[in-house]
Amino acid sequence: MTESEVQVVPEPQTEGHAAPLDELIRTVRDRLDEGKAENAAELVKPLHVADQADLIEQLGREERAALVDALKPDLDPELLTHLDESVRAEVLDLLGPKEAGEAIAQLETDDAVEVLQDLDPEEQIALLATLPMPDRAAVEQGLAFPEDSAGRLMQREVVAVPEFWTVGQAIDYLRAKPDLPDEFYDIYIVNPRFEPVGSIPLSRVLRSRRGVLLRELRMKEQHLIPVEMDQEEVGFQFRQYGLVSAPVVNQAGRLLGVITVDDVVHVIEEEAEEDILRLGGVQETDIFARPVQTSLHRFPWLLINLGTAILASIVIALFERAIQQVVALAVLMPIVASMGGNGGTQTVTIVVRALATREITPANALRVFGKELLVGGLNGVLFLIIGMLVAVVWFGNPLLGALFGAALLITLIFAGAAGVAIPIAFERFGLDPAVTSGVFVTSVTDVVGFLSFLGLASLFLL
């Protein structure tokens, strides 16, 4: 084809396509408030489905209902996979079982499982009943696997051919088979027991002569994913070995499906966000969930925090006489606790991230512990000097300044130790360090801070 034969089709320049998303949201809201839902839908249609999802999440419930109703005839099923789970459940209700089932039926099995897995069992059953039998069976099998496992993550549509085929037979098969995945990167070579013996990149197949046997082509190194493997471990495998796709096998080694890098990118991001949010005792869906639901999510961790705060208060109560005699203690002791809490949070954040990425192992845990003790000590010495100067300038009492600085040193050393030891200990006991570490590290630093400062004051000032 010559340059003159190439036709460039310009993208339609609509108001919604050209405007930034925040401006578009305001425009869409104005149209919806004016009762012009169809006009609002026309502004939204040119957007990528991910941007459509972001826009829908920004709307209020009534606005969302009006827009989804207007978008129904042209709704892209992929939109469902980009929505927050709380908003997705609402959109599925707005679509109704029939339209929702038709949309889910057009998704690949891994995406269909993702859409359905967060719904109530009754809603799952109602939507599954609307799917055609082959799709329904595949999705039900996916939902039968443990949550957050490779079985939930994989797509069952996989390109698998026998090892005795030629390149020409494989290419003819790809052209003739109607139900292949929309996108795939590798062709899996299987033996008569349907066990994967290797994989060949699609590009290598297309560049080879038709008469060459597939088993004679250079195959990629295999990284088999057990169907029960946790999705966090799957993400580690892809990141560690630079995988684009990987076969999923059952206990007998038979090929069940494939996991592709686009799904794993979401998993890695999801796990990272989840760890960060859990450090604060919150969930991703808090932004879009109802107030009562959000309150119930946060209540347990606030209750635990209340318990740890009471423990710190008990320590303070033990030194009530010292505080009454030296009022400056009441002024300075929150500073000690705050410094310890911040130091512990810094360490626990680094350690939780390192545990997730396998940077901390039994082989180097002791070295990391020693390093954080040293870091806490170095910072403690610096703040000992700063704390002494602050207390002397503030209260004109050199002894009080020395005790305040010493308490900062002790607290920062303990903060470093607790920030390493507590997450590692929780992981050894099978608990999620991201969920549990923050509250307990803060509790330890508060107690140690109050105990060291008030204890030293009782010994040397009274």
Side-chain angles (χ1 to χ4, degrees), residues 23-36 63:
E23 294 181 11
L24 179 60
I25 291 172
R26 288 193 292 270
T27 304
V28 168
R29 279 179 166 161
D30 290 341
R31 299 293 189 275
L32 294 173
D33 290 341
E34 296 167 2
K36 300 177 181 178
E63 296 170 333

Side-chain angles (χ1 to χ4, degrees), residues 127-186:
L127 287 174
L128 284 170
T130 65
L131 301 181
M133 182 45 68
D135 295 329
R136 176 179 177 179
V139 174
E140 286 179 336
Q141 288 174 356
L143 290 171
F145 292 113
E147 190 174 357
D148 295 333
S149 68
R152 288 283 185 99
L153 194 61
M154 73 178 181
Q155 63 180 52
R156 301 186 68 85
E157 299 88 359
V158 58
V159 181
V161 298
E163 55 186 338
F164 56 81
W165 272 14
T166 64
V167 168
Q169 287 175 297
I171 292 175
D172 292 341
Y173 169 78
L174 296 178
R175 290 171 175 169
K177 187 73 171 172
D179 55 350
L180 294 178
D182 292 336
E183 295 181 2
F184 58 93
Y185 311 101
D186 298 310

Side-chain angles (χ1 to χ4, degrees), residues 237-270:
Q237 296 286 328
F238 271 71
R239 183 173 59 246
Q240 182 77 357
Y241 303 112
L243 304 180
V244 176
S245 67
V248 180
V249 296
N250 62 13
Q251 292 181 346
R254 288 174 56 86
L255 180 64
L256 295 181
V258 62
I259 295 176
T260 55
V261 68
D262 56 324
D263 297 313
V264 175
V265 167
H266 294 303
V267 168
I268 294 173
E269 181 182 8
E270 177 186 318

Side-chain angles (χ1 to χ4, degrees), residues 186-431:
D186 298 310
I187 295 177
Y188 291 96
I189 313 302
V190 294
N191 62 21
R193 292 185 298 275
F194 212 70
E195 299 167 342
V197 297
S199 63
I200 305 173
L202 184 59
S203 59
R204 190 173 299 158
V205 173
L206 295 176
R207 289 199 303 264
S208 302
R209 296 182 180 278
R210 290 182 59 86
V212 177
L213 291 173
L214 292 174
R215 61 170 170 257
E216 294 177 358
L217 297 179
R218 182 166 58 88
M219 297 188 188
K220 296 170 62 175
E221 180 183 359
Q222 282 214 103
H223 293 275
L224 302 180
I225 304 293
V227 71
E228 303 285 342
M229 180 181 284
D230 185 85
Q231 67 173 16
E232 190 169 359
E233 174 66 22
V234 174
F236 174 77
Q237 296 286 328
F238 271 71
R239 183 173 59 246
Q240 182 77 357
Y241 303 112
L243 304 180
V244 176
S245 67
V248 180
V249 296
N250 62 13
Q251 292 181 346
R254 288 174 56 86
L255 180 64
L256 295 181
V258 62
I259 295 176
T260 55
V261 68
D262 56 324
D263 297 313
V264 175
V265 167
H266 294 303
V267 168
I268 294 173
E269 181 182 8
E270 177 186 318
E271 293 289 343
E273 288 180 355
E274 189 176 84
D275 287 345
I276 292 172
L277 291 168
R278 283 181 171 180
L279 282 171
V282 296
Q283 297 186 13
E284 181 183 2
T285 54
D286 276 359
I287 294 295
F288 304 106
R290 296 176 185 275
V292 173
Q293 186 179 1
T294 300
S295 175
L296 292 176
H297 285 159
R298 299 184 187 181
F299 177 79
W301 298 109
L302 291 174
L303 183 62
I304 293 174
N305 190 71
L306 174 62
T308 59
I310 290 173
L311 178 62
S313 298
I314 291 173
V315 173
I316 295 173
L318 295 176
F319 299 94
E320 181 178 359
R321 189 172 66 88
I323 297 173
Q324 289 176 346
Q325 294 185 25
V326 184
V327 178
L329 298 180
V331 177
L332 293 176
M333 66 182 186
I335 300 176
V336 178
S338 176
M339 291 297 296
N342 285 329
T345 299
Q346 287 178 337
T347 304
V348 79
T349 302
I350 295 297
V351 172
V352 167
R353 184 258 180 196
L355 287 171
T357 57
R358 314 290 178 84
E359 293 176 359
I360 292 182
T361 65
N364 68 351
L366 191 60
R367 180 176 61 81
V368 174
F369 182 80
K371 176 203 166 184
E372 290 299 328
L373 276 181
L374 181 59
V375 170
L378 291 173
N379 283 332
V381 170
L382 295 174
F383 282 102
L384 182 151
I385 298 171
I386 295 172
M388 288 178 59
L389 294 175
V390 168
V392 170
V393 171
W394 198 343
F395 297 101
N397 188 333
L399 180 56
L400 176 63
L403 298 178
F404 177 58
L408 288 174
L409 172 62
I410 294 170
T411 304
L412 287 172
I413 291 175
F414 268 89
V420 176
I422 290 177
I424 291 177
F426 278 129
E427 187 182 55
R428 293 286 174 85
F429 286 109
L431 301 174

Side-chain angles (χ1 to χ4, degrees), residues 32-45:
L32 294 173
D33 290 341
E34 296 167 2
K36 300 177 181 178
E38 295 296 334
N39 183 268
E42 290 300 322
L43 297 175
V44 174
K45 287 176 187 177

Side-chain angles (χ1 to χ4, degrees), residues 20-26 28-29 32 47 50-65 67-68 79 82-84 87 90-91 287-288:
L21 189 59
D22 55 348
E23 294 181 11
L24 179 60
I25 291 172
R26 288 193 292 270
V28 168
R29 279 179 166 161
L32 294 173
L47 295 175
D51 293 326
Q52 289 183 10
D54 288 342
L55 187 147
I56 289 173
E57 289 172 350
Q58 297 295 319
L59 300 177
R61 293 183 182 274
E62 293 183 2
E63 296 170 333
R64 191 178 295 146
L67 181 60
V68 170
L79 170 70
H82 292 278
L83 291 170
D84 175 86
V87 179
E90 185 180 340
V91 169
I287 294 295
F288 304 106

